Amino acid sequence: MNKSFIEHLSHAFETPLENSVLIFSLILLIILLAPILLRKIKIPGIIGLILSGVIIGPHGLNILAQTDAVRLFSTIGLLYIMFIAGLELDMNEFRKTRHKSVIFGIYTFFVPILIGYPVCYYILNFDVGASILVSSMFATHTLVAYPVVNSYGISKNQAVAITIGGTILTDTAVLIILAVIVGSSQGQLDQQFWIRLTCSFAVFLAIMFGIVPKIAKWFFQKVESEKTSHYIFVLFVVFFAAFLAEVSGLEPIIGAFVAGLALNKFIPHSSALMNRIEFIGNAIFIPFFLISVGMIVDIKVLYNGPEALIVAGTLTLVAVCGKWIAAWFTQLTFKYSGPQRQVIFGLSSAHAAATLAIIMVGYANHIIDENVLNGTIVLILITCIVASIATESASKKVVLAGEQDIVEEDKDVLRDEHILLPIANLNNMEILLDFATMIKNKKSPHPVTILSVVPNNELAEANLKKARKNLDSTAKYASGSEIAVNMMATIDYNIAGGISRASREIMADSILLGWPSQVGIIEKMVGEKTESILNRTDINIFMCHFAKPFVSNSKITLICPPMAEDEKGFSYWLTKIGQLAIELTFPVVCVANARSEDAITSFLKKNKISCNIRFINHNDWDDLSSLRSYVSDSDLLVFVSARIGEVSYSREFDGIPKKLARKYANNNRILVYPSRRPTGVFDNYDEVSAMSTNRGYTRLQRMGKGLGSILNVKHRNPPRSNK
């Protein structure tokens, strides 16, 4: 019996795997672990999943074969990508700048094609069909870097708006060209083909933009309470549109893209339905597609001679140059500034979702070979990195020029503020509560909310009772100090998730956290609690370490990095530090550059915050160790940091809590993370969707930092928004 069992087990694990349940389990395991593990070596989700496909595919370890089930899920993922691309286009912004968007769309469509076609045909010796397909691929772009301009607060800048609008035109035009190329490759490019294509395309558009919107409007109105049905209806429209496109002689991805455009106005970007669409796509369908792309890639082709490397390098160079020249023409036409041109180039130079879709169709129809497929993967890596770095640099220049979007608060944050104080260590609670009382605006009607999050496990009920007892003891201290507090206990599978959820429920303006403790190997791999809270929230966070009573301090040393004044939360944290200095009657020594000094002085004067402050001009911000000479052990150190990807973020801020704990172990210290402009829903795969990215992007500077290691592994890079 044992022998029979062992034989059965060994047969089940024979490669390539044939058991459908085991195959699906393996795919899910890769989708789960790839982003977590590769994030630590700075490889973004899209490239990590493609790499995983390379490893387990027929040309790698041959663990998985290209079965019908794999092809089915791959096709669903491909259609899903194109659907989200159409769904997430901002049609309102397109309407506002439609004339300029059309001109930019013409530039960014024709310039890359006019450059790419001669290169493909005469230099790379592709045939006519392959040359047109590859050169049209150069015209597409994915808004991988959109999270950057959003976080820098310049998303309403006209240069950004016309780039988004141009995406609609380029993607639509390229998909039409794709239909013609595929028809040509099948020997159907005669007069009858053109008549059939024109008529069928007209009927298809009439159905999608004439009939489908009316049905969608009726359905969403009549079946309002059936939320699951809404999602099923959307999926039906997507796949039925793909089928209609195929029947019309077009590619199914065109149908999915048009379905996104047709449903665009019925699904708000911040709605629960959009959340479901993105969540399921980012969790299952899109990762499956990316893995299947990797399974097709044959890395050995790169070692068969210089041809594959030449193709990859040439494609990448043409793609980058074509988009830069298009951005330059746009700058000359509309008299934009240099940073605005760079923003246009950065946003439009990344290739991901649409590029993958087009190349996969071309490869499936034998229009291009493996060299082009592999070269395109390299192109995606390089252009995403270039786009991220270029957009970040340009966004910073636009901010320095004073062209940030105006943020209108829906309430007076300083007068109507709500502070959240999560309990982690009861020993630190009293001094944290004292700190909250000192910085809280006395005119705010809201008490300080003290939160305890209990893990959702078999001991949740008992732990919840214990947490409430702890809250009761804290309430006694608060009442003795005449501090108005609100006690809140909740259960959540994840502590950071519970804190971020509670902050949204009470509409908190700031969170006061204790200093993070050492974490184990699992926490390091998955992500530390503090980092998770930063990623999940947009509000101000004060991370505090008060090992000594405040009376042991003599002054506040405020470390204010360049461009901190351009963060959304600048006025909030500066008001709080000024208020703390007044409460403690401490002088403030602010280490900053001249620009930050002017902004701080102006704000304090305008708001009549009469704290005693003097400045030390400091310009060497590439090495934080140079700040040590300004801080003595008796100082209350306040360090203003930033979330990854924000205006004032620096790579020196990586692991900043540990750096400060090591260098200023004897100091009371506060680490400030200012609030940021809300971002969209960015996941590990937003680089492919049409976003948006998350999340985040966020890791954008790290991309450039890890470029060397990326190229050694072979192959990388993200995104967030696609188009």
Side-chain angles (χ1 to χ4, degrees), residues 302-561:
L302 296 175
Y303 303 102
N304 291 343
E307 183 181 354
L309 295 175
I310 292 172
V311 168
T314 305
L315 294 182
T316 303
L317 182 63
V318 172
V320 172
C321 291
K323 290 299 183 180
W324 190 92
I325 294 172
W328 180 60
F329 282 163
T330 306
Q331 178 195 11
L332 295 179
T333 303
F334 302 122
K335 296 181 171 55
Y336 287 153
S337 64
Q340 284 179 304
R341 179 204 66 224
Q342 193 175 342
V343 166
I344 294 171
F345 165 68
L347 286 175
S348 63
S349 59
H351 294 69
T355 302
L356 268 178
I358 292 166
I359 286 300
M360 289 301 295
V361 172
Y363 183 77
N365 286 275
H366 308 291
I367 300 172
I368 59 170
D369 59 16
E370 287 181 329
N371 285 334
V372 179
L373 177 64
N374 290 336
T376 302
I377 302 298
V378 176
L379 178 149
I380 291 172
L381 161 66
I382 302 296
T383 57
C384 286
I385 294 175
V386 169
S388 301
I389 295 173
T391 306
E392 184 170 10
S393 173
S395 299
K396 192 167 288 190
K397 293 174 184 176
V398 172
V399 170
L400 286 171
E403 297 181 24
Q404 267 186 310
D405 304 336
I406 297 174
V407 178
E408 295 182 2
E409 300 286 357
D410 56 1
K411 67 175 183 176
D412 186 337
V413 173
L414 294 173
R415 287 181 178 270
D416 194 31
E417 70 173 338
H418 206 152
I419 296 175
L420 177 65
L421 205 171
I423 288 181
N425 185 345
L426 284 177
N427 296 328
N428 299 329
M429 182 50 60
E430 293 182 4
I431 194 167
L432 280 174
L433 199 51
D434 291 339
F435 172 67
T437 305
M438 283 187 280
I439 67 170
K440 182 177 178 291
N441 192 302
K442 304 305 182 284
K443 296 181 180 179
S444 172
H446 301 295
V448 175
T449 296
I450 300 177
L451 171 70
S452 180
V453 181
V454 173
N456 191 357
N457 53 33
E458 64 277 2
L459 300 176
E461 188 174 345
N463 289 335
L464 190 60
K465 291 179 181 178
K466 183 179 178 181
R468 284 174 177 156
K469 280 188 179 181
N470 293 337
L471 289 175
D472 290 341
S473 65
T474 305
K476 290 178 183 177
Y477 174 80
S479 61
S481 305
E482 297 185 356
I483 302 170
V485 295
N486 172 43
M487 301 301 173
M488 184 176 180
T490 186
I491 298 176
D492 203 289
Y493 285 102
N494 180 279
I495 301 297
I499 293 173
S500 62
R501 177 169 53 82
S503 70
R504 291 192 298 272
E505 288 176 0
I506 67 171
M507 298 179 67
D509 303 293
S510 61
I511 300 176
L512 308 187
L513 297 173
W515 206 264
S517 56
Q518 293 293 327
V519 296
I521 182 65
I522 299 299
E523 288 82 1
K524 286 182 179 179
M525 186 170 62
V526 176
E528 298 180 24
K529 181 175 70 176
T530 304
E531 184 179 343
S532 297
I533 295 173
L534 288 173
N535 291 335
R536 292 167 183 257
T537 60
D538 298 320
I539 60 179
N540 301 281
I541 291 181
F542 294 80
M543 195 181 299
C544 309
H545 173 79
F546 300 133
K548 310 177 197 174
F550 290 124
V551 293
S552 65
N553 298 124
S554 58
K555 70 177 187 292
I556 295 175
T557 298
L558 172 62
I559 308 294
C560 183

Side-chain angles (χ1 to χ4, degrees), residues 183-255:
S184 174
S185 69
Q186 296 171 353
Q188 301 173 347
L189 208 59
D190 51 18
Q191 184 178 9
Q192 185 179 0
F193 168 81
W194 290 106
I195 295 174
R196 185 175 66 251
L197 178 64
T198 304
C199 295
S200 59
F201 191 51
V203 172
F204 171 70
L205 292 180
I207 294 173
M208 294 306 302
F209 292 110
I211 299 176
V212 169
K214 293 178 181 178
I215 296 175
K217 184 177 181 180
W218 175 86
F219 184 85
F220 289 141
Q221 286 177 340
K222 298 298 182 183
V223 196
E224 184 179 1
S225 60
E226 299 293 333
K227 302 303 180 185
T228 304
S229 300
H230 288 184
Y231 180 73
I232 299 300
F233 172 77
V234 168
L235 283 187
F236 166 74
V237 172
V238 172
F239 293 107
F240 183 69
F243 170 74
L244 279 182
E246 194 170 21
V247 170
S248 303
L250 306 169
E251 281 300 308
I253 60 174
I254 299 177

